[in-house]
Amino acid sequence: MELNTIQPAAGAKHAKRRVGRGIGSGLGKTAGRGHKGQKSRSGGYHKVGFEGGQMPLQRRLPKRGFKSAKLQFNAEVTLSDLNDLNVTEVDVLVLKQAGLVGQLAKRVKVIKTGEITRAVTLKDITATAGAKAAIEAAGGAVAA
């Protein structure tokens, strides 16, 4: 095979349809648009979601809910997750390295799910009232 013999596969290339170029082409006069009507006119077509004047679906259904873009920066960690960590001082960086929170997390909160038996100190991490009591009962501390 040489560079000057390379060709596209058979049937891969076909001529573009040239409409409105006379009777002999087979696509003259109406140029494939049929006769009359909105779709035959230039610039004539309805907007997306238009239902012929009927109230469109996106307006018939009620608006519902809201999802804050700030939620991706918040994360939760359970007491059982903290218990499995082999670290005494826990901060956001430690949790990111352990894969317990996402890399975008800025604020982390400990929730009371599971149990904790090890003493851990939380730095720059908040905790729910129940989680804080459980951590302090295990000999740990929540530093604000």
Side-chain angles (χ1 to χ4, degrees):
M1 182 170 70
E2 301 294 330
L3 283 176
N4 62 336
T5 61
I6 296 175
Q7 287 185 324
K13 294 286 198 174
H14 51 86
K16 191 176 175 206
R17 179 178 294 179
R18 297 189 73 217
V19 297
R21 292 295 181 274
I23 297 169
S25 68
L27 289 167
K29 196 183 170 217
T30 56
R33 285 173 171 260
H35 292 278
K36 296 186 180 175
Q38 187 179 25
K39 287 164 72 175
S40 73
R41 320 263 185 222
S42 69
Y45 206 67
H46 55 77
K47 62 184 175 187
V48 175
F50 185 68
E51 297 184 18
Q54 171 177 296
M55 187 61 69
L57 184 68
Q58 75 270 19
R59 291 191 60 199
R60 288 199 301 268
L61 299 176
K63 293 197 286 186
R64 186 169 178 275
F66 167 77
K67 194 162 192 177
S68 174
K70 294 179 181 177
L71 284 177
Q72 61 186 333
F73 302 114
N74 298 346
E76 288 181 349
V77 177
T78 63
L79 286 176
S80 51
D81 287 338
L82 288 181
N83 202 41
D84 296 340
L85 275 178
N86 292 328
V87 189
T88 53
E89 287 197 1
V90 180
D91 62 353
V92 178
L93 188 63
V94 170
L95 295 173
K96 284 182 181 180
Q97 289 169 344
L100 292 175
V101 298
Q103 291 299 317
L104 292 174
K106 290 182 181 172
R107 272 171 270 143
V108 179
K109 187 175 237 182
V110 179
I111 57 173
K112 189 188 174 199
T113 301
E115 294 181 6
I116 189 161
T117 54
R118 299 171 59 256
V120 292
T121 306
L122 302 183
K123 288 196 170 183
D124 297 327
I125 296 176
T126 56
T128 61
K132 186 175 180 180
I135 289 169
E136 289 170 350
V142 179

